[in-house]
Amino acid sequence: DSGVTQTPKHLITATGQRVTLRCSPRSGDLSVYWYQQSLDQGLQFLIQYYNGEERAKGNILERFSAQQFPDLHSELNLSSLELGDSALYFCASSGGVNSEAFFGQGTRLTVV
Amino acid sequence: QQQVKQSPQSLIVQKGGISIINCAYENTAFDYFPWYQQFPGKGPALLIAIRPDVSEKKEGRFTISFNKSAKQFSLHIMDSQPGDSATYFCAASDSNTGTASKLTFGTGTRLQVTL
């Protein structure tokens, strides 16, 4: 168990809908990272937050947004969902900006 | 796009054999090279990582070899066991940006260790 908790584990929703994925980092970790894992694109970095502020951005679509709250948990919001958004979404956390990251077990999103 | 190329895509090794997975990168700013292991239904878990100031790092049965001039690094799993059957990802990042875990991943290698 990495100590990173992601909810829900599975999510099935229809095209055009909006969902929120939640991540609780390991106790004391200030950095949260979001990754998308799909069959055609592999594991791709989406966005990083450090202590509530956006730190780095990757290949994140404009329809997607994230935030990190004062208690350090993070949410990834996905809107106007398309079939191609079906993927595993992982959250990882690290103690500092240059520390090892620990991954959660992921949320499997299926858009139908 | 800054890529990390990984090969082979899949690998079958007999129990007790050596598993070798190779990766090559393009971005010379990369200075942190971790390997992750992922079992079905689980998130990636860090196995071992290396920085360019050393050419080899060993932890138990796992060894990373690093060739800075060739921009290549590889994972060797000695005495491979059926429990090692998983997907392995190499990755790289530029830790000088303060985002060591903004990782660029390879495409993964599915390892199967047979009895």
Side-chain angles (χ1 to χ4, degrees), chain B residues 4-9 21-24 35 88-91 105-109:
Chain B
V4 176
K5 296 182 180 178
Q6 183 172 348
S7 63
Q9 193 173 3
I21 305 171
N22 300 300
C23 284
W35 284 88
Y88 293 80
F89 293 92
C90 62
F105 280 90
T107 48
T109 296

Side-chain angles (χ1 to χ4, degrees), chain A residues 20-93:
Chain A
T20 298
L21 312 184
R22 182 187 169 99
C23 170
S24 294
R26 293 189 316 153
S27 178
D29 281 359
L30 299 178
S31 266
V32 169
Y33 302 78
W34 286 97
Y35 284 84
Q36 179 193 57
Q37 185 174 35
S38 61
L39 284 175
D40 56 343
Q41 295 290 325
L43 263 164
Q44 294 221 320
F45 169 76
L46 295 178
I47 196 163
Q48 177 199 0
Y49 276 82
Y50 179 76
N51 202 19
E53 294 192 1
E54 183 184 304
R55 184 78 188 221
K57 220 166 184 176
N59 299 321
I60 187 166
L61 299 172
E62 284 192 12
R63 300 183 285 108
F64 296 0
S65 65
Q67 54 185 327
Q68 186 179 27
F69 295 85
D71 66 353
L72 300 177
H73 91 271
S74 178
E75 293 181 355
L76 179 67
N77 301 295
L78 315 176
S79 61
S80 303
L81 285 167
E82 302 174 359
L83 296 178
D85 297 327
S86 297
L88 267 167
Y89 291 85
F90 287 105
C91 167
S93 76

Side-chain angles (χ1 to χ4, degrees), chain A residues 33 35 37 42-45 48 55-59 88 90 94 96-106 108, chain B residues 1 32 36 38 41-46 51 87 89 94-107 110:
Chain A
Y33 302 78
Y35 284 84
Q37 185 174 35
L43 263 164
Q44 294 221 320
F45 169 76
Q48 177 199 0
R55 184 78 188 221
K57 220 166 184 176
N59 299 321
L88 267 167
F90 287 105
S94 69
V97 292
N98 281 337
S99 303
E100 169 193 341
F102 293 85
F103 282 75
Q105 297 211 13
R108 182 174 293 279
Chain B
Q1 185 175 355
Y32 175 64
Y36 283 82
Q38 186 178 26
K42 303 291 185 182
L46 179 68
R51 294 189 184 270
T87 300
F89 293 92
D94 175 3
S95 66
N96 292 311
T97 62
T99 56
S101 290
K102 177 189 172 186
L103 297 162
T104 300
F105 280 90
T107 48
R110 182 171 291 186

Side-chain angles (χ1 to χ4, degrees), chain B residues 66-106:
Chain B
F66 185 81
N67 185 330
K68 187 174 181 178
S69 60
K71 293 188 286 185
Q72 294 175 347
F73 58 111
S74 60
L75 176 70
H76 291 63
I77 306 174
M78 312 300 288
D79 188 26
S80 299
Q81 299 297 312
D84 297 330
S85 298
T87 300
Y88 293 80
F89 293 92
C90 62
S93 71
D94 175 3
S95 66
N96 292 311
T97 62
T99 56
S101 290
K102 177 189 172 186
L103 297 162
T104 300
F105 280 90

